[in-house]
Amino acid sequence: MLLKNFISCEEDKISNGYLIHGDNADIKLIFMTDDIIRIRVSFDRKFYEKSYSLIKTAWPDELDELFKDERQKIDALKIPCEDLGDELRFRTKNLILVMKKSPLAFKLIDQDNKIIYSDLPERAFEKDNLGRISHYSCMDRELDHFYGFGEKSGHLDKKFRRMRMSPKDAIGHDPEFGDPMYKHIPFYVRVNEKNLYSLGFFYNNSYDCVFDIGQEISGYWERYCYYQADGGDVDLFLINGPDLKNIISRYTWLTGRTILPTKQSLGYCASTMYYAELEENCDEEIYKVIDKHLQEKIYIDNFWLASGYSAGEDDGLRYTFNWNKKRFPDPKKFFDVMNSKGINVICNLKPGVLKNHPYAKYYEEHDAFIKNPDGNGDYYGRWWGGEGRFIDFTNPSGREAWRKLLESEILSKGTKTVWNDNCEMDGIEDRSAKCFDGDMAELKIIHSNLMAYVGMQAIKNIYPGERPYII
């Protein structure tokens, strides 16, 4: 299904933008600033607003209350629409957005009247028979270069790469061609080699997706690149430069900036699995290692405590928030000793729960798990050590259950840092598994965000006024 032709345009009073009706889809145009333009294409024409990614909005969002301390609602710009017959034009102070009516496609023009971006004519937006949505744009295979895409392997310039965003625990990945990796960040910057003009692209969509940067070629169209997601809308934020610094500043204004880091986070972090895997008295062995470092004048600020601290005393399996008393007889004392040495202990936390987990019944009582596709019963998937269930961080009761254990079993013992591990949720193979807020196809990667969000809240509760330090 292609969005081919324009039908009509009307003002969208809810978001101070425009609602454009097409033959097979509708479009919302919102001018967030003179340099950030939202183009949202919906084939179901519903425009459901529920974003876990945006901290700036110009419209009501269902998650406004959840993110009330982070999100800011702004007034979008009221940009006039010029109807020139075969096209519509929208002029900000710095850009001109042009929408050709048939075939429907956008292009962006800068202050010098130069085209800095163009959709692929006759194939700009489409939805296929599997429900996947795609956005195609023209590219200059000689002069255009592409940077970003979150955490990816290989050369910085991703031109001619085809990359998938479906986060995995990618142990042993190939450093040049390994893909996908751990993170889902559908943002990139396109730079033209000739004029060094940069333009940012952020797709506000959490479904698994693919970016093909000129690897695919078809003789029926001029050269192109494309974005394709397994569902949702094409929700594109075009972010003007013209330099990289401005794009990053505007992108982070839109989606959030890293909080000022703790001083301790800038120091040396000692990390090893070995010292939390000994049969007994891991704490005493760690003290010896720390003392040896100090003797050699290698000063440690943080010690990453691997998941062995939570191993079951009988089976050795990982049970987050459970302390193995053979290895760490007195966890509170261990933290006290480490803190007296000026060392922040950072405990490994995993969101999977094995069948014999000591807190399994506690989680059941709080209805904390992701459910089967039919909504009945907890979903069991692949996990470290066997089948496991998974905390539903989109569920307020799941978040609350996790937060209480994080505070009582980890933070209150003497650490101010949260280390979330294996939170890609890739063990949930059936993406139709149900969450409180939808299904895993859309929300798989959102759990990672919310797991960190709960960590931030827990740190604030135990250490009010401290900067949260979350890994």
PDB file of all heavy atoms in Angstrom, residues 318-331:
ATOM      1  N   ARG A 318      21.419 -17.861  38.685  1.00  0.00           N
ATOM      2  CA  ARG A 318      21.341 -16.441  39.034  1.00  0.00           C
ATOM      3  C   ARG A 318      19.942 -16.045  39.478  1.00  0.00           C
ATOM      4  O   ARG A 318      18.965 -16.243  38.749  1.00  0.00           O
ATOM      5  CB  ARG A 318      21.724 -15.584  37.826  1.00  0.00           C
ATOM      6  CG  ARG A 318      23.185 -15.377  37.469  1.00  0.00           C
ATOM      7  CD  ARG A 318      24.154 -16.215  38.173  1.00  0.00           C
ATOM      8  NE  ARG A 318      25.527 -15.876  37.798  1.00  0.00           N
ATOM      9  CZ  ARG A 318      26.547 -16.659  38.011  1.00  0.00           C
ATOM     10  NH1 ARG A 318      26.374 -17.834  38.589  1.00  0.00           N
ATOM     11  NH2 ARG A 318      27.766 -16.318  37.658  1.00  0.00           N
ATOM     12  N   TYR A 319      19.877 -15.467  40.666  1.00  0.00           N
ATOM     13  CA  TYR A 319      18.617 -15.010  41.229  1.00  0.00           C
ATOM     14  C   TYR A 319      18.799 -13.564  41.705  1.00  0.00           C
ATOM     15  O   TYR A 319      19.164 -13.329  42.866  1.00  0.00           O
ATOM     16  CB  TYR A 319      18.193 -15.901  42.394  1.00  0.00           C
ATOM     17  CG  TYR A 319      18.056 -17.366  42.046  1.00  0.00           C
ATOM     18  CD1 TYR A 319      18.783 -18.344  42.738  1.00  0.00           C
ATOM     19  CD2 TYR A 319      17.195 -17.778  41.027  1.00  0.00           C
ATOM     20  CE1 TYR A 319      18.647 -19.691  42.429  1.00  0.00           C
ATOM     21  CE2 TYR A 319      17.058 -19.125  40.710  1.00  0.00           C
ATOM     22  CZ  TYR A 319      17.787 -20.085  41.412  1.00  0.00           C
ATOM     23  OH  TYR A 319      17.650 -21.411  41.099  1.00  0.00           O
ATOM     24  N   THR A 320      18.548 -12.611  40.833  1.00  0.00           N
ATOM     25  CA  THR A 320      18.759 -11.205  41.164  1.00  0.00           C
ATOM     26  C   THR A 320      18.055 -10.821  42.473  1.00  0.00           C
ATOM     27  O   THR A 320      16.905 -11.204  42.702  1.00  0.00           O
ATOM     28  CB  THR A 320      18.246 -10.307  40.021  1.00  0.00           C
ATOM     29  OG1 THR A 320      19.072 -10.524  38.872  1.00  0.00           O
ATOM     30  CG2 THR A 320      18.306  -8.836  40.391  1.00  0.00           C
ATOM     31  N   PHE A 321      18.763 -10.071  43.314  1.00  0.00           N
ATOM     32  CA  PHE A 321      18.366  -9.587  44.639  1.00  0.00           C
ATOM     33  C   PHE A 321      18.573 -10.634  45.737  1.00  0.00           C
ATOM     34  O   PHE A 321      18.395 -10.325  46.910  1.00  0.00           O
ATOM     35  CB  PHE A 321      16.908  -9.092  44.673  1.00  0.00           C
ATOM     36  CG  PHE A 321      16.629  -7.970  43.723  1.00  0.00           C
ATOM     37  CD1 PHE A 321      15.505  -7.990  42.905  1.00  0.00           C
ATOM     38  CD2 PHE A 321      17.482  -6.884  43.627  1.00  0.00           C
ATOM     39  CE1 PHE A 321      15.247  -6.962  42.023  1.00  0.00           C
ATOM     40  CE2 PHE A 321      17.231  -5.847  42.743  1.00  0.00           C
ATOM     41  CZ  PHE A 321      16.106  -5.892  41.938  1.00  0.00           C
ATOM     42  N   ASN A 322      18.934 -11.858  45.367  1.00  0.00           N
ATOM     43  CA  ASN A 322      19.244 -12.880  46.352  1.00  0.00           C
ATOM     44  C   ASN A 322      20.744 -12.852  46.638  1.00  0.00           C
ATOM     45  O   ASN A 322      21.561 -12.818  45.719  1.00  0.00           O
ATOM     46  CB  ASN A 322      18.844 -14.252  45.801  1.00  0.00           C
ATOM     47  CG  ASN A 322      19.341 -15.387  46.671  1.00  0.00           C
ATOM     48  OD1 ASN A 322      18.862 -15.588  47.786  1.00  0.00           O
ATOM     49  ND2 ASN A 322      20.318 -16.135  46.172  1.00  0.00           N
ATOM     50  N   TRP A 323      21.135 -12.891  47.907  1.00  0.00           N
ATOM     51  CA  TRP A 323      22.554 -12.889  48.271  1.00  0.00           C
ATOM     52  C   TRP A 323      23.004 -14.301  48.663  1.00  0.00           C
ATOM     53  O   TRP A 323      22.393 -14.934  49.524  1.00  0.00           O
ATOM     54  CB  TRP A 323      22.826 -11.920  49.429  1.00  0.00           C
ATOM     55  CG  TRP A 323      22.848 -10.496  48.967  1.00  0.00           C
ATOM     56  CD1 TRP A 323      21.792  -9.634  48.924  1.00  0.00           C
ATOM     57  CD2 TRP A 323      23.973  -9.799  48.449  1.00  0.00           C
ATOM     58  NE1 TRP A 323      22.187  -8.420  48.412  1.00  0.00           N
ATOM     59  CE2 TRP A 323      23.524  -8.475  48.112  1.00  0.00           C
ATOM     60  CE3 TRP A 323      25.314 -10.116  48.245  1.00  0.00           C
ATOM     61  CZ2 TRP A 323      24.371  -7.509  47.579  1.00  0.00           C
ATOM     62  CZ3 TRP A 323      26.161  -9.146  47.713  1.00  0.00           C
ATOM     63  CH2 TRP A 323      25.691  -7.867  47.382  1.00  0.00           C
ATOM     64  N   ASN A 324      24.047 -14.774  48.003  1.00  0.00           N
ATOM     65  CA  ASN A 324      24.661 -16.050  48.339  1.00  0.00           C
ATOM     66  C   ASN A 324      25.495 -15.845  49.607  1.00  0.00           C
ATOM     67  O   ASN A 324      26.552 -15.208  49.576  1.00  0.00           O
ATOM     68  CB  ASN A 324      25.530 -16.526  47.174  1.00  0.00           C
ATOM     69  CG  ASN A 324      26.153 -17.887  47.420  1.00  0.00           C
ATOM     70  OD1 ASN A 324      26.735 -18.143  48.464  1.00  0.00           O
ATOM     71  ND2 ASN A 324      26.065 -18.757  46.418  1.00  0.00           N
ATOM     72  N   LYS A 325      25.038 -16.399  50.731  1.00  0.00           N
ATOM     73  CA  LYS A 325      25.681 -16.129  52.015  1.00  0.00           C
ATOM     74  C   LYS A 325      26.990 -16.899  52.191  1.00  0.00           C
ATOM     75  O   LYS A 325      27.781 -16.572  53.086  1.00  0.00           O
ATOM     76  CB  LYS A 325      24.710 -16.455  53.154  1.00  0.00           C
ATOM     77  CG  LYS A 325      23.498 -15.506  53.190  1.00  0.00           C
ATOM     78  CD  LYS A 325      23.933 -14.045  53.334  1.00  0.00           C
ATOM     79  CE  LYS A 325      22.759 -13.080  53.319  1.00  0.00           C
ATOM     80  NZ  LYS A 325      21.846 -13.238  54.435  1.00  0.00           N
ATOM     81  N   LYS A 326      27.238 -17.924  51.376  1.00  0.00           N
ATOM     82  CA  LYS A 326      28.550 -18.571  51.410  1.00  0.00           C
ATOM     83  C   LYS A 326      29.606 -17.651  50.817  1.00  0.00           C
ATOM     84  O   LYS A 326      30.740 -17.591  51.301  1.00  0.00           O
ATOM     85  CB  LYS A 326      28.516 -19.887  50.637  1.00  0.00           C
ATOM     86  CG  LYS A 326      27.687 -20.979  51.268  1.00  0.00           C
ATOM     87  CD  LYS A 326      27.739 -22.252  50.425  1.00  0.00           C
ATOM     88  CE  LYS A 326      26.893 -23.359  51.044  1.00  0.00           C
ATOM     89  NZ  LYS A 326      26.913 -24.586  50.191  1.00  0.00           N
ATOM     90  N   ARG A 327      29.214 -16.943  49.773  1.00  0.00           N
ATOM     91  CA  ARG A 327      30.152 -16.053  49.095  1.00  0.00           C
ATOM     92  C   ARG A 327      30.227 -14.682  49.770  1.00  0.00           C
ATOM     93  O   ARG A 327      31.295 -14.065  49.812  1.00  0.00           O
ATOM     94  CB  ARG A 327      29.746 -15.911  47.624  1.00  0.00           C
ATOM     95  CG  ARG A 327      29.795 -17.223  46.863  1.00  0.00           C
ATOM     96  CD  ARG A 327      29.358 -17.076  45.413  1.00  0.00           C
ATOM     97  NE  ARG A 327      29.463 -18.354  44.704  1.00  0.00           N
ATOM     98  CZ  ARG A 327      29.187 -18.526  43.416  1.00  0.00           C
ATOM     99  NH1 ARG A 327      28.771 -17.499  42.692  1.00  0.00           N
ATOM    100  NH2 ARG A 327      29.318 -19.719  42.861  1.00  0.00           N
ATOM    101  N   PHE A 328      29.079 -14.208  50.256  1.00  0.00           N
ATOM    102  CA  PHE A 328      29.021 -12.899  50.920  1.00  0.00           C
ATOM    103  C   PHE A 328      28.211 -13.075  52.211  1.00  0.00           C
ATOM    104  O   PHE A 328      26.994 -12.821  52.234  1.00  0.00           O
ATOM    105  CB  PHE A 328      28.379 -11.859  49.999  1.00  0.00           C
ATOM    106  CG  PHE A 328      29.204 -11.543  48.778  1.00  0.00           C
ATOM    107  CD1 PHE A 328      29.047 -12.285  47.614  1.00  0.00           C
ATOM    108  CD2 PHE A 328      30.155 -10.537  48.798  1.00  0.00           C
ATOM    109  CE1 PHE A 328      29.816 -12.020  46.491  1.00  0.00           C
ATOM    110  CE2 PHE A 328      30.926 -10.254  47.672  1.00  0.00           C
ATOM    111  CZ  PHE A 328      30.759 -11.010  46.518  1.00  0.00           C
ATOM    112  N   PRO A 329      28.870 -13.519  53.296  1.00  0.00           N
ATOM    113  CA  PRO A 329      28.158 -13.811  54.556  1.00  0.00           C
ATOM    114  C   PRO A 329      27.402 -12.617  55.120  1.00  0.00           C
ATOM    115  O   PRO A 329      26.347 -12.784  55.738  1.00  0.00           O
ATOM    116  CB  PRO A 329      29.284 -14.243  55.498  1.00  0.00           C
ATOM    117  CG  PRO A 329      30.387 -14.699  54.589  1.00  0.00           C
ATOM    118  CD  PRO A 329      30.303 -13.833  53.381  1.00  0.00           C
ATOM    119  N   ASP A 330      27.932 -11.399  54.923  1.00  0.00           N
ATOM    120  CA  ASP A 330      27.303 -10.199  55.479  1.00  0.00           C
ATOM    121  C   ASP A 330      27.358  -9.102  54.421  1.00  0.00           C
ATOM    122  O   ASP A 330      28.292  -8.299  54.383  1.00  0.00           O
ATOM    123  CB  ASP A 330      28.040  -9.764  56.748  1.00  0.00           C
ATOM    124  CG  ASP A 330      27.334  -8.626  57.474  1.00  0.00           C
ATOM    125  OD1 ASP A 330      26.484  -7.954  56.848  1.00  0.00           O
ATOM    126  OD2 ASP A 330      27.634  -8.407  58.653  1.00  0.00           O
ATOM    127  N   PRO A 331      26.356  -9.035  53.543  1.00  0.00           N
ATOM    128  CA  PRO A 331      26.385  -8.058  52.443  1.00  0.00           C
ATOM    129  C   PRO A 331      26.528  -6.616  52.930  1.00  0.00           C
ATOM    130  O   PRO A 331      27.276  -5.839  52.333  1.00  0.00           O
ATOM    131  CB  PRO A 331      25.043  -8.280  51.738  1.00  0.00           C
ATOM    132  CG  PRO A 331      24.684  -9.695  52.058  1.00  0.00           C
ATOM    133  CD  PRO A 331      25.189  -9.928  53.445  1.00  0.00           C
TER     134      PRO A 331
END
